[in-house]
Amino acid sequence: LKSASGKQQPHVLCRHSLGSHPSASPAMSGTREENLFMARLAEQAERFEDVAQYMKRVACMGSELSIDERNLLSVAYKQVVAARRIARRAIAMTEQEMPESAHAISQYRGKVEAEIDALCDEIIGLLDSHLIGQASTDDNKVFYMKMKGDYYRYRAEFKRDVAQAESASQANRAYRAALEQAQVLPPANSGRLPPPPPPAPPPPPEG
């Protein structure tokens, strides 16, 4: 993106905090090395929202991530999303057990789902705008394409109707792209993916 003066502007994704979560806005902008240092420090403290925020900044700086760096980013986002997926499942179970409070519970579930949605949107945007395009090896491309499929799949867990079908379709598309890309990797490479599961057999005819 360019401003009116013609200068390159940072992608809009890189100007926003992680999932709009209030605790996920580390104050330091800093250099690539400073953000990597802070990401590793935050990892030691198990503050994964901060890890994700620092690693998002690193990814937005334009250089391809090393394997250790990509794994740090991947683990951070997986942790922050996993915590909310677990919370959502617990809330949904309570919603079924307490129908008399279903309205209040469903509102709270919606809040958690909105956080998951925002986080998935953020990492998918980062993958599309930076990480996949920066990947210079087939291994990295497969890793990021599979990662993209994962976050569409997490969305499909709680979406409804058309939105659920679209998320599931996008997940399947990303996984198939990863599978196709993985065919050029050596057979022993950990990036090789198994083929998609076969479709479920049709139900037996009634009667």
Side-chain angles (χ1 to χ4, degrees), residues 89-165:
R89 286 195 290 268
I91 294 166
M93 186 176 299
T94 303
E95 188 176 3
Q96 293 178 350
E97 295 170 351
M98 301 179 64
E100 70 278 7
S101 302
H103 178 68
I105 296 172
S106 68
Q107 286 187 317
Y108 190 55
R109 173 174 52 78
K111 176 181 181 293
V112 175
E113 289 175 353
E115 291 180 6
I116 298 173
D117 204 29
L119 288 162
C120 290
D121 186 61
E122 183 169 287
I123 185 59
I124 290 168
L126 191 63
L127 287 160
D128 282 340
S129 65
H130 290 80
L131 297 172
I132 294 175
Q134 292 168 1
S136 63
T137 67
D138 293 312
D139 182 63
N140 277 347
K141 289 176 184 176
V142 170
F143 184 92
Y144 291 134
M145 288 173 182
K146 182 178 181 297
M147 191 173 171
K148 181 177 176 178
D150 289 342
Y151 286 92
Y152 273 117
R153 176 166 56 85
Y154 300 154
R155 268 184 164 172
E157 289 176 347
F158 64 87
K159 293 290 187 180
R160 298 290 184 271
D161 304 323
V162 174
Q164 184 182 48

Side-chain angles (χ1 to χ4, degrees), residues 62-103:
S63 299
E64 183 176 6
L65 302 185
S66 69
I67 292 177
D68 286 344
E69 292 164 0
R70 82 176 190 192
N71 290 342
L72 187 57
L73 179 139
S74 175
V75 168
Y77 273 96
K78 185 165 289 188
Q79 288 282 349
V80 296
V81 172
R84 289 163 173 81
R85 291 171 68 213
I86 292 169
R88 182 197 166 275
R89 286 195 290 268
I91 294 166
M93 186 176 299
T94 303
E95 188 176 3
Q96 293 178 350
E97 295 170 351
M98 301 179 64
E100 70 278 7
S101 302
H103 178 68

Side-chain angles (χ1 to χ4, degrees), residues 6-68:
K7 292 183 178 180
Q8 190 75 17
Q9 296 295 305
H11 190 278
V12 64
L13 174 72
C14 298
R15 299 200 298 266
H16 291 271
S17 297
L18 176 75
S20 69
H21 196 276
S23 68
S25 302
M28 186 186 73
S29 55
T31 65
R32 190 179 196 279
E33 290 71 23
E34 288 170 336
N35 278 284
L36 281 171
F37 173 82
M38 293 303 296
R40 291 178 177 124
L41 177 63
E43 181 192 28
Q44 291 297 313
E46 297 187 358
R47 289 180 57 88
F48 291 103
E49 298 203 23
D50 287 348
V51 178
Q53 180 69 11
Y54 285 120
M55 290 309 300
K56 184 182 77 169
R57 291 178 182 177
V58 172
C60 286
M61 289 178 182
S63 299
E64 183 176 6
L65 302 185
S66 69
I67 292 177
D68 286 344

